[in-house]
Amino acid sequence: MPFVVNHPMTFHDILFWLFSIAMLLCGLGVITNRNPVNSAVFLVLLFVCMAGLFVLLEAFFLAVIQILVYAGAVMVLFLFVIMLLDLKPSALRRV
């Protein structure tokens, strides 16, 4: 007989599923988007959702570091490089 737990979903469970599904959708947005700036924005949203999961785990320091280091510093660097590349829309269509 399988182990079955019949308990109602709590607010914590709903937030977990919300952040997890949002992370999967943002990851798909990063991979499938042809515009590099939009991909970088999806990556920032993914980092924010990951920080939300850290908050649910009560790892507040990791959540703050996730936002400050990855969503802040690393994404500014990525966007700076993307803007320096100055990709033309016609070049993006050929890829």
Side-chain angles (χ1 to χ4, degrees), residues 15-70:
L15 282 178
F16 171 78
W17 284 106
L18 181 75
F19 284 135
S20 300
I21 291 170
M23 280 181 61
L24 288 173
L25 293 175
C26 288
L28 284 173
V30 169
I31 294 170
T32 59
N33 208 331
R34 287 189 167 267
N35 188 350
V37 176
N38 289 343
S39 291
V41 170
F42 276 120
L43 194 57
V44 168
L45 288 174
L46 188 137
F47 288 148
V48 169
C49 291
M50 189 181 302
L53 285 178
F54 284 140
V55 169
L56 288 177
L57 290 171
E58 296 180 4
F60 302 110
F61 179 73
L62 284 178
V64 170
I65 293 300
Q66 181 76 29
I67 296 294
L68 289 177
V69 172
Y70 288 108

